[in-house]
Amino acid sequence: GIKPNKFTYSTAIDAWAKVKRVDKVQHLLQKMYKQAAIENDPSLKPGLLAFNGYLVALAKTGRAEEAEALLSQMEDLYDSGDLEERPSVISYSTVIDSFARSNLEGASMRAESFLRRMIDREDLVPNAISYNSVINAHVKSWNFEAAEAVLREMYDNFLNSGDMEIRPTIQSYSSVISGIARSRQKDSGERAERILEQLKEMAQSGDLDKPPDVILYNSVLDCWAKSSSTPEMAARAVMFLEKMKNDGIFDVISYNTTLNCLARAGKVHDAELMLEDMEAVGVYPNSITYNTLLSAYLSQSSQSRKSAEKLFEKMRNDSRIEPDVVTYNTMLHFHSRIGDIEKAESLLKEM
């Protein structure tokens, strides 16, 4: 019969790696070594392609330390002449990804250490995947400033070299901005906006894989919204929403984020005006919009009761939207709190 060759084995290893079957990958590697020994043919031993497949399997299953050990083994095999090709950018990037996926202590700094090893090697140049994996690792580990620093380095290296392989991508920026939003620091909005401006410049000069979209703009808006609950920050969120409208990039999430920010800052009247503005620009409110405003009304004084009731009726009479369980729970809680048991029972039956 036809015997499998190195390419056959490597293809099978790649397939098993993608579905996280480390055991199958290990078995095939053993078979390659066994066949090479039986036929006395060193060329049948696993090559870089097969080992990279093994690294992928380990990375996908979060076995970062095993991937690190395998990379060291691959370096040793190359030095001894038992591996024809030296571990590549793919090899190193896969180990970086394995630490990004793991929950090990200090995982993100260990991921970055492999990026530094790549940079120190004259024959290896990290690519965008390498950098993005380190950025993702830092964001996952809440090392947001480190993620921002790696993005700056990536951008500077691209500007200085013009190497398209290390060009920051939308993913690079999105990851860092999402991390900044999670940090909830007072300067989060300003930092995110600076990054967006850099991104827009890259898009205009054709140096970005795709232009910034509404998801990314909403992430920047989220940075303003989460930085604090003060009226000042709410005003900055409104200002950024205006920029989004000027750029023609906004949706219902943009409005809901801003409305929630205003509500948390106690600017209920401004939140109310935001609902009117939505309808004026053709963005249709959803249940989240109504529920946010309802909660805002009901957290205020008793004078807001009529506004809440009016909004609830508007929601019930709108054929394009239905009150959901959050809506009813909000109204039930309010009526129970003020002792209107009959109204609470009526709502309960309506559900």
Side-chain angles (χ1 to χ4, degrees):
I2 300 171
K3 291 182 180 178
N5 58 22
K6 184 186 284 191
F7 180 76
T8 315
Y9 280 116
S10 297
T11 304
I13 285 169
D14 183 59
W16 284 119
K18 284 175 179 172
V19 293
K20 306 179 184 180
R21 289 298 301 272
V22 177
D23 57 329
K24 293 287 187 181
V25 170
Q26 290 170 333
H27 175 67
L28 288 170
L29 286 167
Q30 288 167 0
K31 282 188 74 173
M32 291 179 81
Y33 276 116
K34 188 175 180 180
Q35 189 176 331
I38 291 169
E39 298 184 23
N40 195 26
D41 184 356
S43 70
L44 291 173
K45 286 181 180 179
L48 183 61
L49 195 62
F51 278 112
N52 279 348
Y54 190 9
L55 283 173
V56 168
L58 294 171
K60 282 183 175 290
T61 50
R63 292 157 71 166
E65 290 181 327
E66 288 177 61
E68 182 181 20
L70 177 59
L71 182 61
S72 294
Q73 184 188 343
M74 289 164 68
E75 291 281 11
D76 292 341
L77 287 170
Y78 174 77
D79 291 340
S80 65
D82 287 324
L83 188 63
E84 291 177 7
E85 297 173 83
R86 193 170 182 182
S88 63
V89 172
I90 292 172
S91 315
Y92 275 84
S93 297
T94 305
V95 175
I96 289 170
D97 184 52
S98 72
F99 279 103
R101 290 170 182 264
S102 78
N103 294 313
L104 294 169
E105 190 174 341
S108 71
M109 297 313 296
R110 289 172 76 174
E112 187 169 335
S113 73
F114 283 95
L115 179 68
R116 301 294 155 220
R117 279 168 62 176
M118 291 173 76
I119 291 167
D120 290 342
R121 262 181 59 176
E122 291 183 3
D123 61 332
L124 268 189
V125 179
N127 58 21
I129 294 170
S130 319
Y131 278 102
N132 284 345
S133 293
V134 174
I135 288 170
N136 290 339
H138 281 316
V139 170
K140 186 181 175 185
S141 299
W142 288 70
N143 292 330
F144 306 125
E145 288 182 4
E148 215 172 330
V150 171
L151 176 61
R152 277 197 302 272
E153 178 186 327
M154 187 182 185
Y155 177 72
D156 290 342
N157 288 346
F158 167 66
L159 282 188
N160 294 332
S161 67
D163 184 358
M164 298 298 281
E165 288 294 311
I166 58 169
R167 176 184 64 172
T169 63
I170 281 286
Q171 184 196 336
S172 319
Y173 289 100
S174 297
S175 298
V176 170
I177 290 171
S178 71
I180 292 171
R182 284 164 61 190
S183 73
R184 294 176 179 267
Q185 294 177 340
K186 285 188 176 180
D187 64 345
S188 292
E190 290 172 6
R191 284 159 60 196
E193 264 203 72
R194 279 198 302 270
I195 291 171
L196 178 63
E197 288 307 312
Q198 184 186 101
L199 196 153
K200 285 163 74 174
E201 285 174 17
M202 285 185 70
Q204 285 167 4
S205 61
D207 287 330
L208 199 64
D209 52 335
K210 55 183 178 179
D213 57 12
V214 71
I215 295 170
L216 197 132
Y217 271 84
N218 280 339
S219 294
V220 177
L221 180 59
D222 204 36
C223 291
W224 280 116
K226 287 180 177 174
S227 56
S228 79
S229 298
T230 63
E232 292 78 17
M233 286 302 175
R236 294 296 297 268
V238 172
M239 284 171 62
F240 185 72
L241 177 62
E242 288 302 314
K243 286 185 182 180
M244 292 177 70
K245 287 161 69 178
N246 289 337
D247 288 348
I249 302 175
F250 59 93
D251 60 10
V252 67
I253 295 170
S254 319
Y255 273 93
N256 286 347
T257 302
T258 310
L259 197 147
N260 183 50
C261 185
L262 289 165
R264 286 191 297 112
K267 298 176 76 69
V268 179
H269 178 64
D270 288 346
E272 201 173 25
L273 294 176
M274 193 61 59
L275 179 62
E276 293 175 15
D277 186 51
M278 283 178 82
E279 293 168 342
V281 297
V283 174
Y284 204 77
N286 58 19
S287 60
I288 295 170
T289 318
Y290 281 105
N291 291 339
T292 303
L293 194 52
L294 270 178
S295 295
Y297 281 141
L298 300 179
S299 66
Q300 299 291 300
S301 59
S302 56
Q303 285 98 340
S304 298
R305 178 181 175 180
K306 287 184 179 178
S307 298
E309 292 280 12
K310 187 178 175 183
L311 186 67
F312 182 53
E313 282 306 310
K314 181 180 178 182
M315 196 176 180
R316 285 203 291 194
N317 294 328
D318 193 331
S319 60
R320 291 171 291 187
I321 189 167
E322 283 185 13
D324 58 17
V325 67
V326 176
T327 316
Y328 278 100
N329 285 346
T330 302
M331 295 303 291
L332 277 167
H333 175 71
F334 171 69
H335 287 297
S336 299
R337 195 180 70 198
I338 63 171
D340 192 345
I341 304 301
E342 285 184 18
K343 187 66 177 177
E345 282 187 351
S346 171
L347 284 172
L348 201 56
K349 288 176 183 175
E350 192 178 304
M351 288 175 74

